[in-house]
Tab-separated table of all heavy atoms in Angstrom:
chain	number	residue	atom	x	y	z
Y	34	ALA	N	151.754	-10.320	-30.084
Y	34	ALA	CA	151.298	-9.254	-30.991
Y	34	ALA	C	151.890	-7.922	-30.520
Y	34	ALA	O	152.284	-7.770	-29.370
Y	34	ALA	CB	149.764	-9.154	-30.978
Y	36	TYR	N	151.151	-3.607	-30.784
Y	36	TYR	CA	150.205	-2.555	-31.047
Y	36	TYR	C	150.925	-1.207	-30.997
Y	36	TYR	O	151.864	-1.022	-30.223
Y	36	TYR	CB	149.066	-2.555	-30.044
Y	36	TYR	CG	148.191	-3.782	-30.056
Y	36	TYR	CD1	148.581	-4.947	-29.439
Y	36	TYR	CD2	146.979	-3.794	-30.740
Y	36	TYR	CE1	147.810	-6.083	-29.463
Y	36	TYR	CE2	146.169	-4.910	-30.800
Y	36	TYR	CZ	146.615	-6.060	-30.167
Y	36	TYR	OH	145.813	-7.180	-30.195
Y	38	GLN	N	150.098	2.916	-30.321
Y	38	GLN	CA	149.097	3.853	-29.835
Y	38	GLN	C	149.640	5.271	-29.883
Y	38	GLN	O	150.663	5.574	-29.273
Y	38	GLN	CB	148.651	3.543	-28.389
Y	38	GLN	CG	147.499	4.387	-27.916
Y	38	GLN	CD	147.034	4.066	-26.536
Y	38	GLN	OE1	147.786	3.653	-25.641
Y	38	GLN	NE2	145.703	4.217	-26.296
Y	41	GLY	N	145.852	10.198	-27.677
Y	41	GLY	CA	144.427	10.454	-27.904
Y	41	GLY	C	143.767	9.485	-28.848
Y	41	GLY	O	142.589	9.677	-29.228
Y	42	GLN	N	144.475	8.425	-29.212
Y	42	GLN	CA	143.904	7.442	-30.145
Y	42	GLN	C	143.851	6.056	-29.487
Y	42	GLN	O	144.599	5.783	-28.551
Y	42	GLN	CB	144.703	7.359	-31.430
Y	42	GLN	CG	144.657	8.643	-32.243
Y	42	GLN	CD	145.367	8.486	-33.577
Y	42	GLN	OE1	145.614	7.356	-34.065
Y	42	GLN	NE2	145.708	9.597	-34.214
Y	43	ALA	N	143.023	5.193	-30.056
Y	43	ALA	CA	142.993	3.813	-29.629
Y	43	ALA	C	144.217	3.085	-30.204
Y	43	ALA	O	144.810	3.534	-31.193
Y	43	ALA	CB	141.718	3.162	-30.116
Y	44	PRO	N	144.593	1.991	-29.617
Y	44	PRO	CA	145.689	1.195	-30.158
Y	44	PRO	C	145.349	0.654	-31.549
Y	44	PRO	O	144.170	0.509	-31.895
Y	44	PRO	CB	145.837	0.051	-29.144
Y	44	PRO	CG	145.244	0.592	-27.870
Y	44	PRO	CD	144.115	1.444	-28.331
Y	45	ARG	N	146.429	0.349	-32.301
Y	45	ARG	CA	146.268	-0.238	-33.638
Y	45	ARG	C	147.119	-1.488	-33.686
Y	45	ARG	O	148.299	-1.450	-33.332
Y	45	ARG	CB	146.705	0.763	-34.704
Y	45	ARG	CG	146.673	0.189	-36.120
Y	45	ARG	CD	146.934	1.227	-37.159
Y	45	ARG	NE	148.307	1.683	-37.220
Y	45	ARG	CZ	148.947	2.009	-38.360
Y	45	ARG	NH1	148.320	1.888	-39.519
Y	45	ARG	NH2	150.185	2.495	-38.329
Y	46	LEU	N	146.541	-2.564	-34.188
Y	46	LEU	CA	147.283	-3.822	-34.320
Y	46	LEU	C	148.308	-3.707	-35.437
Y	46	LEU	O	147.973	-3.359	-36.566
Y	46	LEU	CB	146.322	-4.991	-34.592
Y	46	LEU	CG	146.918	-6.350	-34.852
Y	46	LEU	CD1	147.606	-6.872	-33.589
Y	46	LEU	CD2	145.831	-7.323	-35.297
Y	49	TYR	N	151.137	-9.714	-35.554
Y	49	TYR	CA	150.670	-10.835	-34.767
Y	49	TYR	C	151.451	-12.095	-35.133
Y	49	TYR	O	152.229	-12.058	-36.122
Y	49	TYR	CB	149.148	-11.065	-34.974
Y	49	TYR	CG	148.753	-11.419	-36.377
Y	49	TYR	CD1	148.642	-12.751	-36.793
Y	49	TYR	CD2	148.496	-10.405	-37.328
Y	49	TYR	CE1	148.273	-13.064	-38.066
Y	49	TYR	CE2	148.103	-10.732	-38.601
Y	49	TYR	CZ	147.993	-12.051	-38.969
Y	49	TYR	OH	147.648	-12.372	-40.268
Y	87	TYR	N	153.064	-1.400	-27.646
Y	87	TYR	CA	152.788	-2.400	-26.649
Y	87	TYR	C	152.896	-3.793	-27.268
Y	87	TYR	O	152.431	-4.040	-28.376
Y	87	TYR	CB	151.368	-2.259	-26.093
Y	87	TYR	CG	151.112	-0.994	-25.315
Y	87	TYR	CD1	150.558	0.113	-25.934
Y	87	TYR	CD2	151.440	-0.894	-23.979
Y	87	TYR	CE1	150.334	1.305	-25.239
Y	87	TYR	CE2	151.222	0.267	-23.247
Y	87	TYR	CZ	150.646	1.370	-23.910
Y	87	TYR	OH	150.437	2.530	-23.205
Y	89	GLN	N	151.759	-7.869	-26.603
Y	89	GLN	CA	150.655	-8.589	-25.992
Y	89	GLN	C	150.863	-10.092	-26.238
Y	89	GLN	O	151.107	-10.505	-27.350
Y	89	GLN	CB	149.329	-8.165	-26.630
Y	89	GLN	CG	148.110	-9.012	-26.236
Y	89	GLN	CD	147.129	-9.242	-27.360
Y	89	GLN	OE1	147.155	-8.543	-28.384
Y	89	GLN	NE2	146.265	-10.232	-27.230
Y	91	TYR	N	149.206	-13.908	-26.146
Y	91	TYR	CA	147.894	-14.570	-26.180
Y	91	TYR	C	148.070	-16.086	-26.184
Y	91	TYR	O	147.272	-16.836	-26.759
Y	91	TYR	CB	147.042	-14.084	-27.328
Y	91	TYR	CG	147.679	-14.103	-28.712
Y	91	TYR	CD1	147.385	-15.121	-29.596
Y	91	TYR	CD2	148.515	-13.069	-29.119
Y	91	TYR	CE1	147.924	-15.122	-30.875
Y	91	TYR	CE2	149.064	-13.082	-30.400
Y	91	TYR	CZ	148.778	-14.095	-31.273
Y	91	TYR	OH	149.318	-14.119	-32.541
Y	94	TRP	N	146.174	-17.922	-21.365
Y	94	TRP	CA	145.144	-16.973	-20.927
Y	94	TRP	C	143.980	-17.737	-20.296
Y	94	TRP	O	143.837	-18.928	-20.551
Y	94	TRP	CB	144.632	-16.139	-22.120
Y	94	TRP	CG	144.077	-16.985	-23.188
Y	94	TRP	CD1	144.745	-17.584	-24.213
Y	94	TRP	CD2	142.699	-17.408	-23.332
Y	94	TRP	NE1	143.874	-18.346	-24.992
Y	94	TRP	CE2	142.626	-18.238	-24.465
Y	94	TRP	CE3	141.559	-17.148	-22.613
Y	94	TRP	CZ2	141.445	-18.818	-24.871
Y	94	TRP	CZ3	140.338	-17.706	-23.018
Y	94	TRP	CH2	140.292	-18.540	-24.152
Y	95	PRO	N	143.091	-17.149	-19.519
Y	95	PRO	CA	143.215	-15.732	-19.097
Y	95	PRO	C	144.274	-15.599	-18.037
Y	95	PRO	O	144.566	-16.576	-17.341
Y	95	PRO	CB	141.823	-15.420	-18.552
Y	95	PRO	CG	141.300	-16.751	-18.059
Y	95	PRO	CD	141.860	-17.779	-18.973
Y	96	PRO	N	144.824	-14.402	-17.837
Y	96	PRO	CA	144.448	-13.237	-18.621
Y	96	PRO	C	145.351	-13.034	-19.840
Y	96	PRO	O	146.507	-13.499	-19.854
Y	96	PRO	CB	144.746	-12.121	-17.607
Y	96	PRO	CG	145.903	-12.618	-16.825
Y	96	PRO	CD	145.737	-14.104	-16.722
Y	97	ILE	N	144.838	-12.380	-20.837
Y	97	ILE	CA	145.673	-11.813	-21.893
Y	97	ILE	C	146.485	-10.714	-21.200
Y	97	ILE	O	145.945	-9.952	-20.385
Y	97	ILE	CB	144.791	-11.174	-22.975
Y	97	ILE	CG1	143.870	-12.223	-23.651
Y	97	ILE	CG2	145.649	-10.433	-23.995
Y	97	ILE	CD1	144.606	-13.223	-24.471
Y	99	PHE	N	149.513	-7.512	-21.473
Y	99	PHE	CA	150.272	-6.552	-22.277
Y	99	PHE	C	151.558	-6.166	-21.524
Y	99	PHE	O	151.606	-6.166	-20.284
Y	99	PHE	CB	149.474	-5.272	-22.492
Y	99	PHE	CG	148.250	-5.432	-23.345
Y	99	PHE	CD1	147.024	-5.765	-22.788
Y	99	PHE	CD2	148.319	-5.237	-24.723
Y	99	PHE	CE1	145.875	-5.894	-23.581
Y	99	PHE	CE2	147.172	-5.358	-25.544
Y	99	PHE	CZ	145.963	-5.690	-24.954
Y	101	GLY	N	154.333	-3.104	-20.593
Y	101	GLY	CA	154.108	-1.752	-20.095
Y	101	GLY	C	154.281	-0.653	-21.130
Y	101	GLY	O	153.954	0.508	-20.840
U	39	GLN	N	142.512	1.411	-19.813
U	39	GLN	CA	143.778	2.148	-19.724
U	39	GLN	C	143.658	3.254	-18.698
U	39	GLN	O	142.941	4.228	-18.923
U	39	GLN	CB	144.192	2.723	-21.074
U	39	GLN	CG	145.567	3.328	-21.160
U	39	GLN	CD	145.994	3.622	-22.585
U	39	GLN	OE1	145.183	3.961	-23.428
U	39	GLN	NE2	147.283	3.464	-22.831
U	43	ARG	N	148.757	5.426	-18.152
U	43	ARG	CA	149.297	4.073	-17.925
U	43	ARG	C	149.125	3.223	-19.195
U	43	ARG	O	148.660	3.675	-20.242
U	43	ARG	CB	148.559	3.420	-16.763
U	43	ARG	CG	148.594	4.227	-15.481
U	43	ARG	CD	150.028	4.355	-14.900
U	43	ARG	NE	150.577	3.054	-14.538
U	43	ARG	CZ	150.397	2.497	-13.343
U	43	ARG	NH1	149.665	3.124	-12.423
U	43	ARG	NH2	150.962	1.333	-13.083
U	44	GLY	N	149.482	1.940	-19.041
U	44	GLY	CA	149.418	1.035	-20.171
U	44	GLY	C	148.051	0.367	-20.305
U	44	GLY	O	147.080	0.710	-19.614
U	45	LEU	N	148.010	-0.604	-21.197
U	45	LEU	CA	146.770	-1.328	-21.497
U	45	LEU	C	146.575	-2.513	-20.543
U	45	LEU	O	147.547	-3.209	-20.206
U	45	LEU	CB	146.822	-1.853	-22.925
U	45	LEU	CG	147.040	-0.791	-24.002
U	45	LEU	CD1	147.257	-1.455	-25.369
U	45	LEU	CD2	145.857	0.171	-24.077
U	47	TRP	N	143.913	-5.802	-20.217
U	47	TRP	CA	142.780	-6.575	-20.653
U	47	TRP	C	141.837	-6.829	-19.484
U	47	TRP	O	142.256	-7.139	-18.390
U	47	TRP	CB	143.246	-7.950	-21.203
U	47	TRP	CG	142.174	-8.890	-21.552
U	47	TRP	CD1	141.440	-8.918	-22.674
U	47	TRP	CD2	141.723	-9.965	-20.756
U	47	TRP	NE1	140.536	-9.936	-22.639
U	47	TRP	CE2	140.681	-10.597	-21.468
U	47	TRP	CE3	142.071	-10.468	-19.479
U	47	TRP	CZ2	139.999	-11.713	-20.974
U	47	TRP	CZ3	141.400	-11.558	-18.994
U	47	TRP	CH2	140.363	-12.188	-19.726
U	50	LYS	N	136.500	-10.821	-21.876
U	50	LYS	CA	136.180	-11.196	-23.269
U	50	LYS	C	134.978	-12.110	-23.277
U	50	LYS	O	134.685	-12.799	-22.264
U	50	LYS	CB	137.363	-11.875	-23.937
U	50	LYS	CG	137.802	-13.160	-23.285
U	50	LYS	CD	139.139	-13.639	-23.806
U	50	LYS	CE	139.066	-14.202	-25.174
U	50	LYS	NZ	140.359	-14.755	-25.677
U	59	TYR	N	135.388	-14.560	-19.890
U	59	TYR	CA	136.618	-14.625	-19.117
U	59	TYR	C	136.945	-13.232	-18.599
U	59	TYR	O	136.624	-12.231	-19.274
U	59	TYR	CB	137.783	-15.137	-19.979
U	59	TYR	CG	137.535	-16.521	-20.549
U	59	TYR	CD1	136.979	-16.667	-21.822
U	59	TYR	CD2	137.856	-17.636	-19.834
U	59	TYR	CE1	136.763	-17.934	-22.339
U	59	TYR	CE2	137.643	-18.914	-20.346
U	59	TYR	CZ	137.084	-19.033	-21.588
U	59	TYR	OH	136.838	-20.286	-22.099
U	60	TYR	N	137.571	-13.197	-17.408
U	60	TYR	CA	137.820	-11.928	-16.754
U	60	TYR	C	139.251	-11.911	-16.177
U	60	TYR	O	139.794	-12.948	-15.776
U	60	TYR	CB	136.847	-11.695	-15.602
U	60	TYR	CG	135.404	-11.697	-15.993
U	60	TYR	CD1	134.659	-12.896	-16.008
U	60	TYR	CD2	134.783	-10.515	-16.360
U	60	TYR	CE1	133.321	-12.895	-16.363
U	60	TYR	CE2	133.429	-10.512	-16.708
U	60	TYR	CZ	132.714	-11.688	-16.706
U	60	TYR	OH	131.398	-11.702	-17.077
U	61	VAL	N	139.804	-10.716	-16.053
U	61	VAL	CA	141.022	-10.569	-15.294
U	61	VAL	C	140.645	-10.721	-13.829
U	61	VAL	O	139.503	-10.355	-13.400
U	61	VAL	CB	141.667	-9.176	-15.572
U	61	VAL	CG1	140.831	-8.031	-15.052
U	61	VAL	CG2	143.084	-9.137	-15.043
U	95	TYR	N	137.985	0.636	-23.419
U	95	TYR	CA	137.824	0.408	-24.844
U	95	TYR	C	137.095	-0.913	-25.083
U	95	TYR	O	137.382	-1.905	-24.372
U	95	TYR	CB	139.163	0.271	-25.525
U	95	TYR	CG	140.035	1.507	-25.572
U	95	TYR	CD1	141.115	1.638	-24.712
U	95	TYR	CD2	139.847	2.494	-26.525
U	95	TYR	CE1	141.943	2.730	-24.772
U	95	TYR	CE2	140.675	3.585	-26.598
U	95	TYR	CZ	141.708	3.706	-25.736
U	95	TYR	OH	142.555	4.780	-25.812
U	101	TRP	N	140.335	-13.839	-34.622
U	101	TRP	CA	140.898	-15.103	-34.163
U	101	TRP	C	140.952	-15.157	-32.650
U	101	TRP	O	141.934	-15.666	-32.054
U	101	TRP	CB	142.272	-15.374	-34.789
U	101	TRP	CG	142.216	-15.380	-36.261
U	101	TRP	CD1	141.357	-16.096	-37.044
U	101	TRP	CD2	143.030	-14.576	-37.148
U	101	TRP	NE1	141.613	-15.796	-38.380
U	101	TRP	CE2	142.604	-14.897	-38.470
U	101	TRP	CE3	144.055	-13.651	-36.958
U	101	TRP	CZ2	143.180	-14.298	-39.588
U	101	TRP	CZ3	144.647	-13.086	-38.071
U	101	TRP	CH2	144.191	-13.397	-39.361
U	102	GLN	N	139.987	-14.595	-32.012
U	102	GLN	CA	139.747	-14.607	-30.575
U	102	GLN	C	140.630	-13.687	-29.738
U	102	GLN	O	140.205	-13.135	-28.738
U	102	GLN	CB	139.854	-16.040	-30.019
U	102	GLN	CG	139.388	-16.168	-28.576
U	102	GLN	CD	139.440	-17.557	-28.017
U	102	GLN	OE1	139.589	-17.714	-26.809
U	102	GLN	NE2	139.380	-18.587	-28.846
U	103	HIS	N	141.878	-13.524	-30.157
U	103	HIS	CA	142.837	-12.839	-29.263
U	103	HIS	C	143.437	-11.583	-29.815
U	103	HIS	O	144.139	-10.873	-29.095
U	103	HIS	CB	143.990	-13.772	-28.901
U	103	HIS	CG	143.547	-15.068	-28.300
U	103	HIS	ND1	142.901	-15.145	-27.096
U	103	HIS	CD2	143.681	-16.335	-28.765
U	103	HIS	CE1	142.663	-16.418	-26.820
U	103	HIS	NE2	143.131	-17.165	-27.786
U	104	LEU	N	143.260	-11.304	-31.091
U	104	LEU	CA	143.926	-10.188	-31.730
U	104	LEU	C	142.926	-9.046	-31.951
U	104	LEU	O	141.951	-9.261	-32.647
U	104	LEU	CB	144.550	-10.633	-33.054
U	104	LEU	CG	145.551	-11.784	-32.904
U	104	LEU	CD1	145.997	-12.270	-34.250
U	104	LEU	CD2	146.729	-11.321	-32.060
U	105	TYR	N	143.216	-7.914	-31.430
U	105	TYR	CA	142.220	-6.835	-31.388
U	105	TYR	C	142.451	-5.878	-32.568
U	105	TYR	O	143.283	-4.990	-32.515
U	105	TYR	CB	142.307	-6.133	-30.038
U	105	TYR	CG	142.238	-7.151	-28.918
U	105	TYR	CD1	143.145	-7.142	-27.871
U	105	TYR	CD2	141.301	-8.164	-28.930
U	105	TYR	CE1	143.099	-8.078	-26.828
U	105	TYR	CE2	141.233	-9.142	-27.949
U	105	TYR	CZ	142.130	-9.084	-26.903
U	105	TYR	OH	142.073	-10.047	-25.924
U	106	ASP	N	141.665	-6.158	-33.603
U	106	ASP	CA	141.952	-5.442	-34.868
U	106	ASP	C	141.110	-4.180	-35.059
U	106	ASP	O	141.469	-3.356	-35.907
U	106	ASP	CB	141.748	-6.386	-36.066
U	106	ASP	CG	140.347	-6.974	-36.180
U	106	ASP	OD1	139.563	-6.846	-35.204
U	106	ASP	OD2	140.056	-7.606	-37.228
U	108	TRP	N	139.114	-1.093	-32.630
U	108	TRP	CA	138.858	-0.559	-31.275
U	108	TRP	C	137.930	0.636	-31.384
U	108	TRP	O	137.919	1.387	-32.369
U	108	TRP	CB	140.182	-0.074	-30.671
U	108	TRP	CG	141.239	-1.099	-30.482
U	108	TRP	CD1	141.883	-1.803	-31.477
U	108	TRP	CD2	141.852	-1.505	-29.255
U	108	TRP	NE1	142.836	-2.620	-30.925
U	108	TRP	CE2	142.877	-2.457	-29.563
U	108	TRP	CE3	141.667	-1.111	-27.931
U	108	TRP	CZ2	143.649	-3.047	-28.574
U	108	TRP	CZ3	142.444	-1.716	-26.944
U	108	TRP	CH2	143.394	-2.665	-27.273
U	109	GLY	N	137.172	0.847	-30.334
U	109	GLY	CA	136.425	2.079	-30.216
U	109	GLY	C	137.346	3.192	-29.715
U	109	GLY	O	138.578	2.977	-29.527
U	110	GLN	N	136.788	4.342	-29.474
U	110	GLN	CA	137.568	5.478	-28.970
U	110	GLN	C	137.576	5.526	-27.432
U	110	GLN	O	138.311	6.326	-26.863
U	110	GLN	CB	137.040	6.802	-29.554
U	110	GLN	CG	137.484	7.008	-30.989
U	110	GLN	CD	138.973	6.920	-31.150
U	110	GLN	OE1	139.770	7.662	-30.551
U	110	GLN	NE2	139.444	5.973	-31.978
Side-chain angles (χ1 to χ4, degrees):
Chain Y
Y36 295 82
Q38 187 178 31
Q42 295 186 18
R45 177 173 71 144
L46 177 65
Y49 62 93
Y87 295 95
Q89 171 218 342
Y91 52 100
W94 60 273
I97 299 292
F99 293 90
Chain U
Q39 187 168 34
R43 304 295 297 272
L45 303 172
W47 174 81
K50 62 191 286 184
Y59 301 93
Y60 301 90
V61 68
Y95 294 102
W101 302 308
Q102 190 179 152
H103 303 297
L104 302 174
Y105 309 132
D106 60 348
W108 300 62
Q110 284 305 301

